[in-house]
Amino acid sequence: MNTCDLCDRHEAMLRVLALPLRDFGGRLAFQGTVSTVSAFEDNSRVREAVAEPGLGRVLVVDGGGSLRRAMLGDMLAEKAVENGWSGVIVHGAIRDSAAIGQLALGVKALATCPMKTEKLGRGERDVVLAIGGVVVRPGDWLCADGDGVVIADHALA
């Protein structure tokens, strides 16, 4: 599946994430049901999420767009692969980009930053996010590739 074809066929049903995301993962194209995290400069909830069975889901992390601390690094990305996550999208920064690029995981983020986050247990999981000009809800379906990210209320063929 690719995002351009989906937009051509299902334009009225799609929301396009309007963020300048870069590809960092070893998989450029990925899709799945959405799970969300909202947290600012604390990746405790990201750690919790990727430690659970991913079942092919995509984790969408709203890090508030912060580029001062990385919400995902190689250890959490490895855990996501081990547990069957399809991808992670970060409205913020990641680190360990070279290692993440070797993993069978889709990863899109705004940028990289070598600084890790604090681990204070802050943030929320499976909440509605408003990022990139769209609403992203837990249970939505997301498809990502080199052309962008599209979101629908349910899986599309």
Side-chain angles (χ1 to χ4, degrees):
M1 228 171 276
N2 82 46
T3 58
C4 295
D5 289 345
L6 286 169
C7 285
D8 290 348
R9 288 187 209 132
H10 305 285
E11 181 177 352
M13 300 173 71
L14 292 173
R15 303 181 301 277
V16 177
L17 195 61
L19 289 172
L21 296 170
R22 294 173 47 198
D23 288 304
F24 293 101
R27 291 177 60 192
L28 295 181
F30 55 98
Q31 63 185 19
T33 303
V34 170
S35 182
T36 65
V37 167
S38 176
F40 186 74
E41 297 184 359
D42 182 338
N43 70 355
S44 300
R45 300 294 171 244
V46 174
R47 179 177 303 277
E48 288 174 4
V50 299
E52 297 175 358
L55 306 170
R57 291 180 293 166
V58 176
L59 184 62
V60 179
V61 179
D62 182 4
S66 175
L67 304 181
R68 298 184 313 173
R69 303 234 179 211
M71 296 297 287
L72 181 77
D74 62 341
M75 291 176 13
L76 294 185
E78 287 173 4
K79 184 62 72 175
V81 171
E82 289 170 16
N83 288 322
W85 289 83
S86 175
V88 180
I89 294 180
V90 180
H91 179 222
I94 66 153
R95 61 190 248 162
D96 304 310
S97 61
I100 288 174
Q102 300 301 309
L103 299 174
L105 181 70
V107 176
K108 289 182 175 281
L110 295 176
T112 61
C113 174
M115 186 66 71
K116 66 182 179 178
T117 70
E118 298 178 308
K119 312 282 190 286
L120 302 172
R122 295 183 183 147
E124 298 177 285
R125 290 196 45 207
D126 290 316
V127 294
V128 175
L129 306 177
I131 59 172
V134 298
V135 171
V136 182
R137 295 178 299 267
D140 282 347
W141 179 79
L142 181 149
C143 182
D145 62 17
D147 289 315
V149 177
V150 296
I151 301 162
D153 292 343
H154 55 80
L156 300 173

